[in-house]
Amino acid sequence: MAYLTGLTKGGATWTPTFVEAIDEEKCIGCGRCFKSCARKVLGPLDLEDEESESIRMVMTIVAGDNCIGCAGCGVGCPKKCFSFKPMEV
Ligand code: SF4
Ligand code: SF4
């Protein structure tokens, strides 16, 4: 199986890993990932909990096609919500 690769500024090969999913059960809505993504891939969503009649914010993927596979959003996530995947070619 082959994956899409790119080059660093220094000419080294690297394999981008694109955002695949965010675990909304684990997400605490801190917004760190939102601030770290320069590609505007992520966006907040208000989730309604019918049982407790409360609303909590979670992060979602709103423009996945804009992702460049840097995985930067996952680095600062305190709850390890992100999963990433390289692109098969
Ligand atoms: S991998 Fe990079 S471009 Fe993609 S959502 Fe995360 S921070 Fe944004
Ligand atoms: S950094 Fe993690 S916990 Fe914080 S909003 Fe993003 S996905 Fe949720």
Side-chain angles (χ1 to χ4, degrees), residues 30-69:
C30 68
R32 285 185 198 175
C33 56
F34 180 78
K35 289 180 194 160
S36 69
C37 180
R39 301 287 300 173
K40 302 196 185 313
V41 174
L42 311 173
L45 175 75
D46 285 334
L47 271 191
E48 215 175 319
D49 184 340
E50 284 178 14
E51 261 180 44
S52 64
E53 292 184 355
S54 62
I55 291 175
R56 70 184 180 97
M57 198 271 277
V58 296
M59 202 56 64
T60 59
I61 300 167
V62 295
D65 285 352
N66 286 344
C67 181
I68 57 169

